[in-house]
Structure formats: C-alpha cells, structure tokens
Amino acid sequence: MPRFDDSDIGADLTQVHSPRDSRPSVVAPVAPQSLEGTTLPIPADPSHAGRRESEVVEIPATRSSISDASQYMHNLSLAPSMRDKRGSRNSFGTSLPIPRSPRPSRLSSIVGIDDRKAAVSREILASQVQDMAKEQVKAAKNMAFAFDIDGVLAHGNHAILEARESLKMLNGDNELGIKIPYILLTNGGGKTEEERCQQLSEILEVPISVNQFIQSHTPMQALSEYYETVLVVGGEGFKCRGVAQNYGFKHVYTPKDILAWDQEASPWRCFTEEERVHAHPVDFKRVKFDAILVFADSRDYATDFQLIIDLLLSENGYFGTKSKNLETNSIPIYFSQGDMVMPTQFKGPPRMTQGAFRIAIEAIYKSLTGNDLERVVYGKPELATYKYADEVLKSWMEEIHNENKLPQNVYMVGDNPASDIIGGNMYGWNTCLVRTGVFQGGPGENAPDSPANFGVFDNVLEAVKAVVRKELGKEFKFKWNEKINPVLHGGDGLSAVE
C-alpha cells in the first residue's frame, strides 16, 4: 500500500499519535465457549404452537455463538465509538490524499432564481437591514452547518419536509435576509457531483451548488495523481466510470467491462445485453491495474467479490495471474466510506451499505491468505474528509460573503452516530443527532457510544432552530418580510418578519 506524506493531503496531523508505519496486532480467534443448556428457538416448537407432536428434532448448539467470520475480520473493522476513543477505520497508518483545494465547478449553482430583478431588489433591502444589525451579521458569518443527506435532508428521492424549510431559511429567508453558510457532507456517492446536485436541488426545492457539496468519493479525485488504470466498483450502471473520468483517471474499467470480455469470469454474474452494449471490453490479461476504487454500493456482490479478490491476489495487478507472495495484497484498494448501514425508504431497520461489503472482502481475503487486508477508507469519520470540508467551507464563505475564512462555530447535523457524530466530535465540531434516519432513540435518549455534544432532535429543522437561536438570539425570526422598510427596522415600524 503506498504511503503519502502529510503534505500530500494539505493537513496538519500533529494531533494524530498513531505511528505511520505501525502495524496493529491481529485479534486472535475467540475460543469456542460452552453453550450447554443454550439452544436456538425453534419456530415449530409444540409448546408455542399448541401442537400435540413436534415434527422437528431440536439439536442443542455445540459451537461458539461468535460468528465464524470474526476470525477473518480486521481488528479495526468494527464500528468506531467515542467510548473506544477511535475515529478511524484505517489500520496501517496510510495517509488519505485529498485535493489541495475544492474541485472546480462547471456550475456555480444548479437552480437559478426565476425573477432576477426581484432577487436584486431583495438583496439591496437585505444589505440595508444587515448594516443596521452588524453584531448579528457577524455572528451569522461566524457559524456554519455541515449536513448529512440521507436520513437528514432526504430519504432516497424524497425530501424530508422539514429540510426544505431549514435550507430556505439558511439561504436567506430570515429576518436579516442573510445567507448562513452550510455544506452537504455525505457518505453517499455513485454519481457525479453535478448530477447529484441537480437531483437534490429538485428534491429540496432550493439551489444546491457543486461548490458546497462533498460526497464520499469527492476527495478521492486526488488519487488520480497516483494511479492511471483503475477498476471502479459500485453504483448504477456505468455512472461511476464517468465520475472517475471526471476526476482525471486516464483508464477506467468496471466489472461489467470484464464480464463483456469474458462472462465466465464470474459464475454467478448478473449481466444483461443492454450492459454489454455500454461496456468497454479489452484483453484484460494485458491490462495492468494500478488500484481498485470502490466508489459506491455494489449492485452485483458475487461478481464484485470475485473480481476484487482476483486482483488483490494477482501478480502486480494483472487479471488472471496469482502472486507468488501473498504477504500483502498485490494492488491497493480504496473504499469511499465505511458505514455499515444507511437509512432508506424501507419501513424497517436501516439497510446494509458499503461498510458491510468491505468487511466481507476483508473476511474473504483473510480466509484465503491468513493475512489482514491492507485497505484505505475515505468518508466520515476519517480525518481527511473533515480537512477537505474545511477547505470547501472557506471557499463557500468566499463565494457567498467574499470572506475566505473558516467559521468558528461549525455544526454537524447527522443521523448516524458511528460516522456523522463521532467524526464531528473528534474534529472539534458541534454535533446534532436527528431521529429521522439510522438513529431511532426515544425522547431524551442520546447515542450511548458516540453521543451528540449539542443535542438530539426530532428532525433537522428543530436542530437548525436550536443552533440559530443559540448563535443569533432567542428572538431571531426565521422569515423574511418582503414589505420591510429598512429605515423603520428595529423601531416601531415594520419588522423584517411576518
């Protein structure tokens, strides 16, 4: 696995005490425990079903209740928690490269304002109001939000209604008519930033700029400086190919390209004729892969497992070969995020996501080689993601307020304690946990292992209101009054709020 200097990520890592080349000790397999008297519940048990005779034979368990996979799992694959004082899922002291500055945007914002003249008039009125409330304006520019998306602002392709009101207020629908800075910081991915911002702008009914948006693999564009030929895994269709090409990777292939070359490469493949049309098959025995990049959730676990393991065990990244030395994986593998579960529109428990896929890869690799898989995980709660978020926040401040500085009071609003909250806590941000996603605690409950330090809220709007009232005063109003008279504002005349 390649090593990178701290200067490569533009980060000050003096607060990180893990030695760069240290190797963690491997967790020893847990010895089987006696489970005498312990049995699994049998659904057809006559004592529960009211039957006179049972048609099943109940065999007492004789093996450990610890999963067989535990002996294969990497010792840092478990979800981190504040209780363990561990925020990173990376194990080998490998630096995570990030761009030195935010990615250039081809579109400053996706959705424009229908009536530009009205907007200009409103900006003039707002500037006059702001001139008369300098202390509040200063406070508004010294605070910022970082929002997770899934489970906080939206569920899939449907907005959480309170999110629309929250973002409209932060975009200037407030008594000062001022834009309060915020960015979107998500472990989601699989599409270009432009496509995702277009989608979010339509869902949330507010303009979302590419310049205020970070998805899990956005910082991974820095890897294009190190690798030319990559296997990109995950996402819908071939969209992740476009993402990687947009980041500057020269030769980008997907598992579907390999299946188009030789579909027998995966015995349990899921491959359609339509996919064959869009695939880019070449003679993959002649292609030297430099790295594997898992950008998003796999849509074909069987094929992706097989091809990833093939390359990890290959000789110098050549498909179809096998390394003579399996002490370490043949080529590096990068995962864009480490979440185990994610909220969806499913009316039940959260669904598994990329972290579960990664742990399965680790277990397979260790079972075949006896060695830990060297891998790198981006996304929350990794330090590099927050360093990059700082740069994006400063750039966004310059765009909306012409001030290239980082607000002092940053609030992370998330639904996942194991990524949103622990990452924000360990980076020194204020953290707000909402109950609209992964976390489903009841009233008064906080996440026991990684508690939000600012509080727990029913939804994002309640969190935003609490933060704004703390920073700008309890009487701060969340609506702009189009009929405002700046001369009378603050006196006995019209207020800036309805």
Side-chain angles (χ1 to χ4, degrees):
M1 185 70 77
R3 301 295 193 268
F4 302 95
D5 293 330
D6 295 340
S7 59
D8 290 331
I9 65 173
D12 177 10
L13 301 185
T14 56
Q15 301 301 315
V16 181
H17 302 293
S18 300
R20 206 173 188 63
D21 294 320
S22 63
R23 300 291 173 115
S25 59
V26 178
V27 174
V30 178
Q33 301 170 353
S34 173
L35 297 181
E36 186 176 351
T38 301
T39 59
L40 294 174
I42 303 299
D45 188 334
S47 64
H48 297 292
R51 299 158 113 191
R52 283 189 272 179
E53 292 185 20
S54 174
E55 297 178 359
V56 297
V57 178
E58 185 174 342
I59 307 298
T62 59
R63 300 181 64 187
S64 168
S65 60
I66 303 298
S67 167
D68 288 344
S70 63
Q71 62 183 306
Y72 301 129
M73 287 169 57
H74 197 284
N75 65 329
L76 287 184
S77 284
L78 300 178
S81 71
M82 292 300 294
R83 184 174 58 187
D84 299 328
K85 304 298 182 185
R86 186 176 71 225
S88 176
R89 293 183 176 89
N90 289 314
S91 54
F92 293 93
T94 306
S95 295
L96 280 66
I98 61 174
R100 293 186 181 276
S101 60
R103 65 189 306 276
S105 170
R106 294 195 293 256
L107 300 171
S108 60
S109 64
I110 302 299
V111 178
I113 301 175
D114 293 335
D115 190 346
R116 184 59 187 166
K117 291 182 179 180
V120 171
S121 298
R122 174 169 168 165
E123 288 173 4
I124 293 173
L125 287 174
S127 66
Q128 293 173 339
V129 172
Q130 293 164 24
D131 285 341
M132 303 174 70
K134 292 183 179 180
E135 288 302 314
Q136 276 190 315
V137 169
K138 181 179 178 180
K141 292 180 179 180
N142 202 32
M143 62 180 289
F145 289 90
F147 294 110
D148 181 41
I149 297 176
D150 295 312
V152 175
L153 303 181
H155 288 139
N157 293 324
H158 299 279
I160 294 174
L161 296 183
E162 292 84 358
R164 291 175 177 169
E165 186 175 347
S166 300
L167 298 188
K168 287 176 182 177
M169 188 278 292
L170 297 178
N171 279 356
D173 188 11
N174 55 65
E175 70 172 273
L176 296 178
I178 192 171
K179 292 183 178 180
I180 298 174
Y182 67 89
I183 62 172
L184 274 56
L185 182 60
T186 175
N187 271 356
K191 302 177 181 178
T192 64
E193 284 74 11
E194 287 81 5
E195 181 179 354
R196 186 64 171 136
C197 285
Q198 174 71 56
Q199 179 186 31
L200 288 170
S201 297
E202 295 172 357
I203 291 172
L204 298 171
E205 298 180 354
V206 295
I208 301 298
S209 170
V210 177
N211 296 338
Q212 64 182 142
F213 179 71
I214 306 170
Q215 46 189 350
S216 61
H217 48 66
T218 303
M220 293 174 70
Q221 63 188 288
L223 295 174
S224 64
E225 299 293 324
Y226 301 89
Y227 309 115
E228 290 189 359
T229 304
V230 294
L231 179 71
V232 174
V233 178
E236 300 173 2
F238 296 89
K239 288 186 177 182
C240 282
R241 188 204 307 280
V243 174
Q245 290 172 335
N246 195 40
Y247 289 166
F249 293 96
K250 293 183 179 179
H251 307 294
V252 181
Y253 298 104
T254 73
K256 299 295 185 184
D257 298 327
I258 296 176
L259 288 182
W261 166 65
D262 185 351
Q263 64 180 9
E264 297 304 322
S266 174
W268 314 117
R269 60 194 171 272
C270 177
F271 188 56
T272 66
E273 287 305 313
E274 181 180 357
E275 288 171 331
R276 185 184 300 278
V277 171
H278 295 92
H280 295 168
V282 298
D283 184 358
F284 282 102
K285 288 189 176 181
R286 301 170 64 89
V287 174
K288 183 183 185 303
F289 284 95
D290 298 321
I292 303 167
L293 310 179
V294 182
F295 271 4
D297 289 302
S298 169
R299 267 57 172 184
D300 183 355
Y301 269 44
T303 295
D304 292 347
F305 281 157
Q306 183 67 66
L307 301 185
I308 287 173
I309 292 295
D310 283 344
L311 284 179
L312 292 174
L313 301 182
S314 70
E315 186 71 33
N316 296 323
Y318 283 98
F319 190 78
T321 65
K322 188 168 183 178
S323 174
K324 300 178 182 63
N325 178 14
L326 296 178
E327 290 294 321
T328 60
N329 35 300
S330 174
I331 65 174
I333 180 169
Y334 295 85
F335 294 87
S336 69
Q337 55 103 343
D339 286 352
M340 279 291 294
V341 295
M342 65 178 181
T344 67
Q345 297 177 60
F346 177 67
K347 305 299 184 183
R351 306 286 87 188
M352 291 185 296
T353 184
Q354 195 181 132
F357 179 79
R358 171 181 54 81
I359 287 177
I361 291 288
E362 291 179 11
I364 295 169
Y365 181 85
K366 193 165 185 179
S367 69
L368 293 174
T369 69
N371 299 315
D372 282 330
L373 174 66
E374 293 196 36
R375 77 288 189 276
V376 178
V377 184
Y378 277 79
K380 297 171 291 186
E382 302 306 325
L383 176 64
T385 293
Y386 292 86
K387 292 290 184 182
Y388 185 67
D390 277 352
E391 297 304 310
V392 172
L393 262 175
K394 287 192 291 186
S395 178
W396 186 241
M397 275 288 293
E398 185 171 27
E399 183 164 329
I400 65 174
H401 291 310
N402 200 30
E403 298 179 9
N404 189 286
K405 68 174 186 178
L406 186 65
Q408 290 183 339
N409 305 311
V410 180
Y411 292 82
M412 176 77 222
V413 183
D415 68 298
N416 191 336
S419 57
D420 301 323
I421 303 307
I422 188 173
N425 285 347
M426 298 192 75
Y427 198 57
W429 286 357
N430 305 289
T431 50
C432 306
L433 183 60
V434 296
R435 298 188 179 93
T436 49
V438 170
F439 181 74
Q440 295 290 315
E445 291 184 28
N446 206 330
D449 293 337
S450 304
N453 58 42
F454 189 74
V456 182
F457 304 90
D458 288 338
N459 55 62
V460 64
L461 180 59
E462 294 305 313
V464 167
K465 284 182 175 180
V467 170
V468 171
R469 284 169 177 157
K470 174 182 179 295
E471 298 292 340
L472 303 182
K474 294 182 179 180
E475 302 303 319
F476 189 82
K477 302 300 189 298
F478 300 102
K479 289 291 182 181
W480 168 261
N481 183 2
E482 298 292 346
K483 299 179 181 180
I484 184 172
N485 183 339
V487 176
L488 299 178
H489 178 65
D492 296 328
L494 289 174
S495 171
V497 295
E498 295 177 350

